[in-house]
Amino acid sequence: MMASMQMVRRRAWIAMVESAWRRRSVVWLSGVRRAGKTVLAQTLSNVDYFDCERPRTRRLLDDPEAFLDSVGPGRIVLDEIHRLANPSELLKVAADHYPKTRVLATGSSTLGGSAKFRDTLTGRKVEVWLTPMIAADLVDFGNRQLDHRLLQGGLPSFFASPDVPEMDFQDWIDAYWAKDILELFRLERRQSFLRFVELVLARSGGIFTANVFGRECGVSHTTIANYLAVLEATFVAHVVRPFSSRPSTEIVAAPKVYGFDTGFVCYYRGWHGLRREDLGLLWEHYVLNEIQARLQTRDLRYWRDKRGHEIDFVWQRRGAAPAAIECKWSAGDLDPAGLRAFRSRYPRGSNFVVVADTPRPLTRHIGDLDVEVVRLEDLIAAIGGAAR
């Protein structure tokens, strides 16, 4: 039986927050609306919780020093801190003058993504990005059915629903506009922006061309670029840029854009159930989410040449050879043409095919290529040290 979402202690994320607190006294916990930030914060041990959506709490925080003097050393949560008039001021005072007070502040965007934050607290805080549910969460929620996670998505309340929560998807979009976009970014043209969100989610994983989206949304390509920056700052879209050093033969500018959650991708594609041919695309999204969550990075690339050969993701740390990552629902789905083309240009580096159906990692020899066929956990273990 699936655990009630209110009772779940998401152990991997709790450990990540605790680790961040050991590095800095201020931790910024970000993530999309309903990703579970509030519940995660409340399941931390020995914390005092303050909901900044409440007017009474905001009045209490008007004088940061008086507030921090009153709470003393300990651990506090400032939920939805962007509701304050000057949220970065309180966090800066806490970091500089109250190092024994551990502060966890939550919000729906990156600190640098909104004009509401006048100081991004560089060097004063550690950021933890709470993504949609990862593999460890499936264990904590008592439901390891991957197809359920792919169809209903990784927002805990959506995942915990016994059926696809059709109405909740539109309710989420409405709240996103009203509580995130209007408060943090003050965009106009609601219809054009929400049409753009719908198109990005429906076409998730494809090459992004601003002019095409501009025509369909009735705005300029400059406005589309601004819209995309807002989606990226609020974690609703992920921009994966091309890996290239040979502009004459490779794609060098056009990014791929992924929607933040498989459930929303399914909803906007009109998928009420999953067919075998749908699983590869959703697995690619799930792998991206896991890498981003576990390594806390968006620094992935993709590769494509002008003849159509492609690698799903390229991971490269500074000074190291690029690792090629192909995402396949089944090991039998691998077409090695993309790997061969990539390695003809970049011969050094590991080749991974991450699949959903292999019981153990194995090495395949394809011509002169060594290809590691791995589970998702094996992939994270192989590339994880490069993220730290």
Side-chain angles (χ1 to χ4, degrees):
M1 179 179 294
M2 190 184 304
S4 168
M5 59 170 285
Q6 288 81 6
M7 302 297 293
V8 172
R9 297 187 78 251
R10 300 169 71 178
R11 291 169 292 178
W13 293 104
I14 290 172
M16 201 176 296
V17 172
E18 295 286 357
S19 174
W21 258 338
R22 287 192 289 271
R23 294 160 58 195
R24 299 280 186 192
S25 62
V26 173
V27 174
W28 175 252
L29 177 65
S30 57
V32 298
R33 181 164 300 280
R34 298 181 69 177
K37 298 186 295 293
T38 297
V39 173
L40 173 61
Q42 292 175 336
T43 55
L44 296 168
S45 300
N46 303 315
V47 296
D48 290 323
Y49 174 82
F50 298 90
D51 182 359
C52 297
E53 290 198 320
R54 300 180 62 185
R56 182 178 180 181
T57 300
R58 293 199 294 273
R59 289 193 297 271
L60 181 66
L61 302 179
D62 276 345
D63 186 335
E65 290 179 287
F67 168 72
L68 292 166
D69 283 335
S70 70
V71 298
R75 294 144 63 101
I76 61 173
V77 172
L78 303 177
D79 202 7
E80 301 290 339
I81 195 174
H82 63 270
R83 296 300 304 274
L84 303 182
N86 187 2
S88 52
E89 179 187 38
L90 190 154
L91 298 178
K92 184 176 180 180
V93 170
D96 290 348
H97 304 290
Y98 295 83
K100 293 184 179 180
T101 302
R102 291 292 183 265
V103 179
L104 179 73
T106 80
S108 298
S109 75
T110 60
L111 275 173
S114 165
K116 191 75 178 283
F117 292 90
R118 301 166 196 172
D119 190 322
T120 59
L121 306 174
T122 301
R124 292 184 170 94
K125 51 82 175 69
V126 175
E127 298 188 28
V128 175
W129 167 24
L130 179 61
T131 69
M133 293 168 61
I134 59 176
D137 292 320
L138 304 189
V139 177
D140 291 337
F141 275 77
N143 182 352
R144 304 190 189 200
Q145 297 179 23
L146 183 56
D147 57 349
H148 180 90
R149 162 64 177 84
L150 296 179
L151 179 62
Q152 300 199 187
L155 302 188
S157 60
F158 289 50
F159 178 80
S161 174
D163 302 304
V164 177
E166 296 281 347
M167 296 298 296
D168 288 351
F169 289 102
Q170 188 57 52
D171 289 346
W172 188 97
I173 291 291
D174 292 340
Y176 173 61
W177 170 261
K179 294 187 176 183
D180 293 333
I181 301 306
L182 287 184
E183 288 186 10
L184 294 174
F185 300 93
R186 295 181 174 85
L187 294 183
E188 299 177 355
R189 306 191 66 167
R190 177 181 187 273
Q191 184 175 355
S192 295
F193 177 76
L194 294 185
R195 174 60 175 161
F196 177 66
V197 175
E198 177 183 337
L199 291 174
V200 165
L201 292 169
R203 300 172 186 175
S204 182
I207 298 291
F208 184 86
T209 305
N211 288 335
V212 172
F213 282 91
R215 287 195 299 270
E216 295 185 68
C217 297
V219 296
S220 69
H221 72 276
T222 302
T223 299
I224 289 295
N226 183 42
Y227 285 175
L228 182 59
V230 169
L231 293 193
E232 192 172 21
T234 54
F235 303 102
V236 170
H238 307 305
V239 179
V240 179
R241 294 173 173 82
F243 176 91
S244 176
S245 64
R246 304 186 181 194
S248 62
T249 60
E250 299 172 338
I251 302 299
V252 299
K256 292 173 70 174
V257 174
Y258 289 81
F260 75 103
D261 180 65
T262 58
F264 281 78
V265 171
C266 291
Y267 175 76
Y268 281 102
R269 286 181 173 236
W271 295 349
H272 303 288
L274 297 182
R275 304 162 298 175
R276 175 63 174 79
E277 56 264 35
D278 304 328
L279 296 173
L281 174 69
L282 297 176
W283 175 245
E284 185 177 326
H285 283 70
Y286 186 73
V287 170
L288 176 62
N289 183 77
E290 191 83 10
I291 294 172
Q292 290 175 330
R294 297 283 296 277
L295 304 188
Q296 288 288 292
T297 185
R298 282 174 149 177
D299 194 21
L300 282 167
R301 298 289 187 267
Y302 82 97
W303 177 83
R304 179 181 288 186
D305 68 14
K306 294 181 180 178
R307 298 178 62 186
H309 299 113
E310 184 172 332
I311 298 295
D312 292 329
F313 302 119
V314 176
W315 169 256
Q316 184 177 31
R317 69 185 188 275
R318 183 175 299 178
I325 302 170
E326 285 279 73
C327 309
K328 301 297 178 185
W329 182 253
S330 173
D333 296 337
L334 174 63
D335 178 350
L339 284 171
R340 287 196 182 106
F342 181 72
R343 287 304 174 200
S344 71
R345 296 163 174 81
Y346 306 96
R348 295 179 56 248
S350 300
N351 304 303
F352 298 102
V353 179
V354 56
V355 300
D357 68 350
T358 187
R360 64 185 63 84
L362 57 92
T363 300
R364 289 179 58 180
H365 304 287
I366 303 175
D368 58 352
L369 289 179
D370 288 337
V371 179
E372 304 297 323
V373 180
V374 296
R375 302 165 298 183
L376 186 48
E377 186 65 30
D378 303 320
L379 175 70
I380 299 298
I383 70 174
R388 302 304 180 193

